[in-house]
Amino acid sequence: MEQDKLRTRVFIALWSAFVVLLVYLPLACVALASVSKGRYFAFPIRAFSWEWWEKTTDSIEISMIVENSLLVAAVVTVFSVVIAFFGALAFARYDWKGRKLYQKLILLPVFFPQPVLGLALLLAYSALGITTSWMTAVFAHMVWIVPVVTLVIAIKVYGFDPSLEEAAFDLGASRVEVMTNVTLPLLWPGIWSGALFAFLLSWGNFPLSLYTAGADSTVPKWLYAKMVAGYSPMVPALGTMATLAAAAVLLGGALLGAIVKKARAA
Amino acid sequence: MTDIKDKKPILQLVGVRKTFNDFAAVEKIDLDIFEGEFFTIVGPSGSGKTTMLRMLAGMEAPSEGNITLHGERINDVPANKRPTCLVFQSLALFPHMSVGQNIEFPLKIKGVDAATRKARALELMAIVRLPASYYGKNVMKCSGGERQRVALARALAYDPEVLFFDEPLSAIDYKLKKILEKELKDLHRETGKTFIYITHSLEEAMVMSDRIGVMRAGRLIQVGTPEEIYAAPVDRFVSEFVGEVNVIELKREGEGWRGVNLPGAFRAAPPKDAPQADSTFVVVRPEFMRFLNDGEEADNTLEGVVYNEYSLGSRIQYQVRVGDKVMLVELSRSNALPAAANRNVRLGWDVRDAISVKA
Amino acid sequence: MSNAMTETTLAGAPEAARAPLSARFAALWAAAGVRCAVPVVVLLAAGFLAPLIAIFAYSFAPPRSFDVFRAFSLANYAELFSPDNTVWLSFAWSIGFALVTCALLAVISYPIAYGMVFLFGRWSSLVSVLFVFPLFVSENVRLYGWVLFFIKNGVLDGSLKWLGLGGAPEVLYTPGAILAGMVYTYLPFMLFPLTLGLSMVPRDLIDAARDLGANRFQIWREVEVPLAMPGILIGMLLTFVLAIGAVSEAKILGGQSVIVISHDIEIAFTYAQNWPLGSALAVLVTAFIGALTLAVFARLDLDRLLGRR
């Protein structure tokens, strides 16, 4: 029995490790290409150099694009978290007529191919005479990211005991006091992971930005434009930097969340 | 009842031990379970009784020692290859199947044809007292007691030699529990199968079992019939587990014995089969304590003040403060102490009613 | 008018005061739920529903025009359905890719999801993070990594040559490469719903089934799959729908050797400047996806799926 179980365990562990490896293999290839010397990529790498990293960080064009991406991601995060917080309460906390329908409506943009959504938004903007820019990209990102963040927060809301709010009301707290003293502190971990999701999903989004950012470029959009135009080592360099930045945000966010949790537990 | 010792052992545990990482959940257990008996393992939560049951059922393998069934080692035989079946604490009914489908599950696995399956399911439903109309009912729509019976019928459908029960009655209200306890006992008699039951309630164990094993901290500290466990608990833990008792620590002093934490003058009569050690505990059940009238004597006497009385239905329990200790006295209602509150009383017990136990 | 209002207020007030505490809370929260939903609903109405209406309206404008709402024409649909139009080929490619992606992902992800729910214990959160993280890297970078891996003189080819095994086979710019890219990109979208579904299977039920004599395969067929079905359905639907609309894989790994349906739409919108035709195509895709999604959604109880942790 134990042997049988062990065999299943080992198979599943090895398979998972193998798939994780495959998932990260292309990222490793990109990183490798970014530090190889020379205009063209060839393996095994003959010489390593940081020259393409330096060229990338020195480029004014790229720093503008990075600024755009950061701006879009930051604005998307702020708006998405606020909207999704209330959206999650409506999703999981309150019982109201039409909730089941609402739950499914929220999922629709997630279950919709982003390139088609991007083109549809582009068409809607032009029909309304709106010039596309980073601001229209923010809105486009939100259409997809708000539902995702709503789900992330809603999972936390399900675990939230409503009688705690009732108890606070009963003890004389006002609606606002209940929100700031009971609801928000308890849902904080969900909100924090929602914010991380919002920022990182916006940072890495390509299909929506491609059609809705107009003349403004973001990192993924710029990378794509260079990719189709022919090989440039700046593509792997910027791609690796963007990946590392996302990893840093994720790690930093998780760390900060853990520190806050620990400080509050003490 | 035929003497259990005449029967053949069906399950034997020899030096069985189970560790999780560094933690030993079950320590060196030796135990024989006889064919056809109703054996109950009792113990508080964390005593290792569930781990022990899972090893017997084949869901965990022992880290050391052997488990044998009919003399054959079954340590590594998986649950689906053992002629044993477990009724889970959660009952583990399949929510996507009807009552009938649940009961038929083991038959379907064995490849029994649909008509035979249905006939057998209906038979089993009659045995566990479920109406035949429940055959197509959604299990999730059944009440607690009905689910209990479905789980039982499903286990019986597997036709195991040994049935295990993991506290199946723990979430059931008192009245229904009493009914189901009796039904389970009847079922045991009717099927003649070996039942191994675990519970944290000794009361439940006393009602149903032929023999009881008391577990504590991974060890089996006493095995015996309900009467033995009640009358001769092996230590303080078992005696306190059986029910509320008075535990008095005694220390040897010269030729005699002195009570610890009792008013200074108290001299105890030497306890029955007094141990060689310099101190011992004696256990006196509240029903063996009595109030003494003037001039009445007992082997041991104490003076105290009544400060609480509880009604226990047909009996009344008095809490008596003796120095810093509280002693319990239980009387039948017809012998109730009049005007008990704050009354100064003398209480006593006889040596033959006190049980010496290890600490 | 004012009289009537006073009357309602008078009639309503004592009613509310008399209602038990719990009923008043329920009424309060009923309203609160609606208020909380408003921002999301407005956003989705403006950002999701309105664009869909816009493409629907555009699809009836005369071809190559921008005369939306002013003229009505079925010419776009007529063109799409005309026998000599090859757009059905793109459709077929997309559906084929999506079906195979979906099936492969189910097989690839199931053991991992099973491990995350039942075996990995405290490691499972780390495994989750490892599988979530790629979502934060834009897919074109990840797909580009595969190009670098498979390209001539790339990582695979170079390694094989270095080992003296000749070169790597030509994989890039074939339908197989596109398929692999889709499987790769949409893995998390299958894995996490499956995990959610499997976490709805109580461990006791698996133990009970085994105890009643079932072997691994019987447990899987009789207990795991039926109980995890909502998660399996969501995973299948999500990957299928996203793969239908996928375009980067065909462009980057397929080198445009195959035109998928979203690529056709994009071409109509950009190079061809034929918005009405692109819209008609987008309407067809949306109708297809929408019908499928709504059919699956009708059978789902999201409270059960997400609420049970």
Side-chain angles (χ1 to χ4, degrees):
Chain A
M1 159 187 50
E2 293 293 278
Q3 267 178 348
D4 232 37
K5 262 191 196 166
L6 198 68
R7 213 161 352 147
T8 317
R9 261 165 202 269
V10 168
F11 165 72
I12 289 180
L14 285 179
W15 177 248
S16 304
F18 174 68
V19 176
V20 168
L21 215 68
L22 282 190
V23 165
Y24 285 90
L25 179 65
L27 292 178
C29 293
V30 173
L32 223 54
S34 75
V35 289
S36 71
K37 199 174 164 70
R39 183 72 181 74
Y40 297 99
F41 175 64
F43 195 84
I45 289 161
R46 272 169 290 265
F48 291 95
S49 104
W50 292 104
E51 65 167 303
W52 297 107
W53 279 60
E54 278 157 22
K55 280 196 180 134
T56 308
T57 45
D58 289 348
S59 156
I60 296 168
E61 186 197 2
I62 286 176
S63 65
M64 268 172 58
I65 288 156
V66 170
E67 271 170 37
N68 279 344
S69 269
L70 285 174
L71 181 65
V72 170
V75 178
V76 166
T77 305
V78 171
F79 282 115
S80 299
V81 167
V82 173
I83 296 177
F85 170 69
F86 291 106
L89 290 181
F91 192 101
R93 165 68 181 82
Y94 300 114
D95 236 343
W96 51 286
K97 227 177 167 175
R99 188 172 69 109
K100 296 266 167 197
L101 192 71
Y102 162 81
Q103 288 179 329
K104 287 163 187 177
L105 172 78
I106 272 203
L107 285 185
L108 287 178
V110 181
F111 283 73
F112 198 80
Q114 289 185 41
V116 181
L117 179 61
L119 285 166
L121 275 159
L122 170 65
L123 192 136
Y125 289 144
S126 103
L128 293 170
I130 299 169
T131 316
T132 48
S133 68
W134 67 271
M135 285 182 277
T136 48
V138 164
F139 185 73
H141 282 196
M142 280 167 61
V143 173
W144 182 64
I145 288 171
V146 165
V148 174
V149 180
T150 302
L151 289 178
V152 170
I153 301 178
I155 286 172
K156 259 278 173 283
V157 177
Y158 276 114
F160 172 78
D161 179 3
S163 66
L164 295 175
E165 279 187 352
E166 286 179 359
F169 273 122
D170 198 34
L171 293 167
S174 71
R175 191 171 261 291
V176 175
E177 285 166 336
V178 169
M179 186 61 87
T180 54
N181 288 305
V182 179
T183 317
L184 274 174
L186 283 172
L187 295 179
W188 175 245
I191 296 169
W192 184 241
S193 21
L196 285 176
F197 260 85
F199 187 88
L200 291 168
L201 286 176
S202 170
W203 172 255
N205 186 281
F206 165 63
L208 292 171
S209 302
L210 175 65
Y211 302 118
T212 59
D216 292 333
S217 195
T218 63
V219 173
K221 196 175 158 184
W222 183 88
L223 287 172
Y224 179 71
K226 289 287 170 214
M227 253 176 234
V228 282
Y231 186 76
S232 153
M234 272 163 95
V235 170
L238 184 58
T240 306
M241 286 182 210
T243 307
L244 290 178
V249 169
L250 189 66
L251 277 178
L255 212 64
L256 201 63
I259 289 169
V260 169
K261 197 175 155 192
K262 206 166 174 186
R264 288 200 342 191
Chain B
M1 202 198 325
T2 54
D3 192 348
I4 216 88
K5 300 283 178 217
D6 296 341
K7 297 196 172 179
K8 285 188 306 199
I10 179 165
L11 264 174
Q12 289 180 290
L13 285 83
V14 182
V16 169
R17 195 161 176 268
K18 177 72 185 179
T19 52
F20 295 107
N21 300 322
D22 289 339
F23 170 71
V26 168
E27 277 286 7
K28 295 275 178 206
I29 290 202
D30 297 293
L31 175 68
D32 286 0
I33 288 164
F34 300 102
E35 218 167 319
E37 79 170 319
F38 196 130
F39 190 93
T40 302
I41 301 167
V42 286
S45 53
S47 60
K49 54 189 194 307
T50 299
T51 308
M52 181 140 144
L53 197 67
R54 288 178 67 87
M55 283 193 283
L56 293 177
M59 284 155 206
E60 306 278 357
S63 316
E64 284 173 34
N66 282 325
I67 301 174
T68 58
L69 182 76
H70 293 308
E72 263 175 63
R73 186 174 181 274
I74 55 163
N75 284 27
D76 301 314
V77 177
N80 53 357
K81 300 269 159 54
R82 287 189 192 192
T84 62
C85 190
L86 171 62
V87 176
F88 286 70
Q89 181 166 24
S90 66
L91 301 181
L93 295 177
F94 302 121
H96 57 299
M97 300 181 192
S98 67
V99 169
Q101 285 171 322
N102 262 284
I103 298 173
E104 286 177 20
F105 182 83
L107 302 171
K108 188 175 171 194
I109 294 298
K110 278 182 195 157
V112 176
D113 68 276
T116 319
R117 272 188 344 228
K118 181 164 183 182
R120 180 74 185 131
L122 290 170
E123 240 172 77
L124 287 164
M125 284 169 71
I127 291 173
V128 300
R129 299 177 178 83
L130 273 173
S133 60
Y134 274 47
Y135 182 82
K137 189 169 174 173
N138 182 345
V139 266
M140 301 316 281
K141 297 221 164 82
C142 291
S143 70
E146 287 159 5
R147 286 185 200 193
Q148 203 79 46
R149 287 160 212 235
V150 177
L152 208 53
R154 186 179 70 177
L156 288 172
Y158 185 61
D159 196 22
E161 291 181 43
V162 183
L163 264 147
F164 301 113
F165 298 87
D166 183 5
E167 308 210 31
L169 300 182
S170 59
I172 297 225
D173 68 72
Y174 189 78
K175 203 176 147 199
L176 183 58
K177 188 155 133 174
K178 287 287 145 202
I179 296 172
L180 291 171
E181 278 173 5
K182 295 209 172 65
E183 284 186 16
L184 210 56
K185 184 81 189 149
D186 290 347
L187 195 71
H188 174 242
R189 200 177 42 240
E190 285 159 22
T191 57
K193 290 181 189 298
T194 309
F195 279 28
I196 298 180
Y197 194 97
I198 71 171
T199 176
H200 60 266
S201 154
L202 195 71
E203 189 193 341
E204 216 172 289
M206 293 277 188
V207 176
M208 295 187 287
S209 325
D210 295 325
R211 284 197 306 155
I212 295 171
V214 184
M215 275 190 88
R216 181 195 188 186
R219 290 173 192 279
L220 200 54
I221 50 179
Q222 187 171 12
V223 178
T225 62
E227 294 74 27
E228 284 165 1
I229 302 277
Y230 185 80
V234 74
D235 67 6
R236 185 178 172 180
F237 172 79
V238 176
S239 67
E240 285 179 330
F241 204 66
V242 173
E244 285 185 296
V245 290
N246 296 297
V247 178
I248 299 147
E249 190 181 355
L250 296 182
K251 271 208 156 62
R252 196 186 286 278
E253 211 176 60
E255 290 299 294
W257 293 81
R258 188 175 60 79
V260 178
N261 289 334
L262 285 170
F266 178 71
R267 291 271 169 249
K272 182 171 60 171
D273 38 75
Q276 298 302 304
D278 284 339
S279 76
T280 185
F281 285 91
V282 294
V283 171
V284 184
R285 296 197 182 286
E287 60 267 33
F288 291 133
M289 280 282 185
R290 58 182 199 272
F291 292 119
L292 303 173
N293 295 321
D294 289 340
E296 197 181 341
E297 283 307 323
D299 295 351
N300 293 290
T301 56
L302 281 171
E303 281 178 11
V305 182
V306 176
Y307 81 98
N308 246 333
E309 61 183 311
Y310 293 104
S311 170
L312 301 175
S314 63
R315 287 171 305 145
I316 298 176
Q317 185 185 81
Y318 298 92
Q319 295 191 339
V320 182
R321 211 186 277 282
V322 179
D324 295 335
K325 270 183 79 84
V326 173
M327 308 295 270
L328 304 173
V329 182
E330 270 177 40
L331 299 178
S332 70
R333 195 169 277 286
S334 51
N335 294 336
L337 188 70
N342 295 322
R343 187 169 158 171
N344 285 308
V345 291
R346 218 151 59 82
L347 45 93
W349 72 93
D350 294 328
V351 168
R352 68 186 143 84
D353 294 329
I355 308 153
S356 293
V357 294
K358 290 181 291 189
Chain C
M1 176 70 201
S2 75
N3 242 345
M5 267 181 66
T6 324
E7 259 176 46
T8 9
T9 324
L10 277 177
E15 194 65 48
R18 247 185 286 120
L21 196 65
S22 60
R24 293 215 314 271
F25 274 134
L28 197 71
W29 282 332
V34 174
R35 274 205 300 278
C36 285
V38 164
V40 179
V41 172
V42 168
L43 173 75
L44 295 190
F48 188 66
L49 219 58
L52 292 188
I53 293 170
I55 55 165
F56 189 71
Y58 259 102
S59 72
F60 294 107
R64 276 170 251 282
S65 77
F66 295 92
D67 296 336
V68 67
F69 300 123
R70 282 192 293 273
F72 181 84
S73 146
L74 287 172
N76 303 305
Y77 290 99
E79 188 183 338
L80 290 181
F81 287 108
S82 86
D84 47 318
N85 193 313
T86 54
V87 72
W88 65 269
L89 199 66
S90 316
F91 236 123
W93 272 116
S94 282
I95 291 174
F97 280 136
L99 281 175
V100 181
T101 301
C102 198
L104 285 177
L105 274 177
V107 176
I108 292 170
S109 314
Y110 196 91
I112 306 175
Y114 185 89
M116 277 163 66
V117 175
F118 295 113
L119 301 180
F120 297 160
R122 60 205 167 93
W123 292 98
S124 72
S125 42
L126 176 71
V127 179
S128 302
V129 172
L130 285 176
F131 280 110
V132 167
F133 179 71
L135 291 177
F136 304 144
V137 180
S138 73
E139 63 259 45
N140 47 31
V141 172
R142 287 180 289 144
L143 294 172
Y144 195 64
W146 282 120
V147 174
L148 295 175
F149 184 78
F150 282 117
I151 204 167
K152 205 165 169 47
N153 290 323
V155 176
L156 182 66
D157 190 43
S159 307
L160 289 176
K161 274 181 186 156
W162 185 72
L163 290 168
L165 294 171
E170 291 283 338
V171 189
L172 276 183
Y173 315 131
T174 61
I178 301 176
L179 184 67
M182 287 190 183
V183 168
Y184 173 73
T185 317
Y186 298 116
L187 174 70
F189 297 96
M190 179 63 93
L191 180 63
F192 289 104
L194 278 189
T195 311
L196 218 54
L198 277 173
S199 64
M200 289 169 63
V201 185
R203 206 187 193 118
D204 265 4
L205 293 191
I206 294 177
D207 282 345
R210 182 174 296 119
D211 193 39
L212 291 165
N215 61 30
R216 188 77 203 86
F217 172 71
Q218 287 167 324
I219 294 172
W220 177 78
R221 194 189 56 196
E222 301 285 336
V223 180
E224 269 173 39
V225 168
L227 286 173
M229 204 30 115
I232 297 175
L233 267 182
I234 288 201
M236 294 261 190
L237 175 70
L238 192 53
T239 44
F240 184 80
V241 158
L242 296 183
I244 286 277
V247 60
S248 302
E249 290 79 5
K251 284 190 188 164
I252 295 170
L253 288 174
Q256 320 219 352
S257 62
V258 169
I259 303 287
V260 291
I261 192 68
S262 291
H263 200 174
D264 260 341
I265 300 176
E266 194 199 296
I267 291 168
F269 272 91
T270 51
Y271 303 106
Q273 283 294 312
N274 192 349
W275 287 26
L277 184 73
S279 297
L281 211 47
V283 166
L284 291 185
V285 173
T286 306
F288 181 65
I289 289 170
L292 210 64
T293 307
L294 294 178
V296 174
F297 276 15
R299 304 178 45 188
L300 283 181
D301 182 355
L302 292 165
D303 282 330
R304 248 177 67 73
L305 190 66
L306 296 169
R308 298 242 313 237
R309 287 270 93 192

